[in-house]
Structure formats: C-alpha cells, structure tokens
C-alpha cells in the first residue's frame, strides 16, 4: 500500500563508544506528524525540568530546549494546517 504521508527514516543516536555504536534509533516508517508530536511532548517535559535549574548551564539548556520545541511545533503546525500556520489557516477559512 502506497501513501503520500511523509514518514520517518531510521536515525541512530545515543553514541555508546568510540567505535560509533549507537544504542537507540528512530524507527523507519512512522508518520512524521506523529513523530513530531511525540518530540514536542518530550521537549515540553525537558523544558519543565530545566526551568527549575538554578545555574547558567541550566539556563543554556532551557534556551536550547525552548528553541528546539518552537521549531518542532512550527513544523507540526505547518503539517497540520497544509503549509500554513494556524493563524493563516483560520483567516483563510
């Protein structure tokens, strides 16, 4: 069965040694909207954790997680609203 739904491709991560062995990977064939929604949920959790970090490293982590989540959420919005953000989609409807 062929589909036009964009899917994930396998992507290994979690380097465990100098030989380049990765412990984890993203599975091939997951609809990207599902993958991005899951990534956004993970980033929300991470953002909640780093918001309580008292040191400058925590602030840097907070900013990086916040930016990554915004990027993921922007892509999700584009996918869910046909290439338009939610505001543009509502205005056009």
């Amino acid at each position: 069965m062929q589909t036009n739904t964009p899917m994930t491709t396998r992507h290994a991560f979690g380097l465990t040694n100098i030989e380049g062995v990765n412990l984890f990977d993203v599975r091939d064939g997951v609809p990207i909207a599902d993958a991005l929604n899951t990534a956004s949920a993970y980033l929300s959790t991470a953002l909640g954790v780093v918001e309580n970090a008292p040191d400058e490293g925590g602030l840097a982590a907070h900013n990086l997680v916040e930016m990554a989540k915004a990027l993921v959420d922007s892509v999700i919005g584009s996918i869910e609203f046909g290439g338009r953000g939610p505001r543009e989609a509502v205005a056009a409807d």
Side-chain angles (χ1 to χ4, degrees), residues 7-78:
M7 301 287 187
T8 58
T9 58
R10 183 181 176 275
H11 180 83
F13 67 100
L15 188 64
T16 60
N17 60 35
I18 61 172
E19 284 84 30
V21 175
N22 289 295
L23 186 59
F24 305 106
D25 64 51
V26 174
R27 292 183 55 179
D28 190 31
V30 176
I32 62 168
D34 294 342
L36 286 169
N37 277 305
T38 300
S40 179
Y42 290 159
L43 287 166
S44 288
T45 301
L47 191 56
V49 170
V50 297
E51 282 177 345
N52 297 316
D55 60 6
E56 288 183 32
L59 179 60
H62 176 274
N63 290 338
L64 291 169
V65 169
E66 185 175 45
M67 287 186 283
K69 179 163 173 32
L71 180 58
V72 167
D73 289 347
S74 174
V75 174
I76 291 169
S78 180

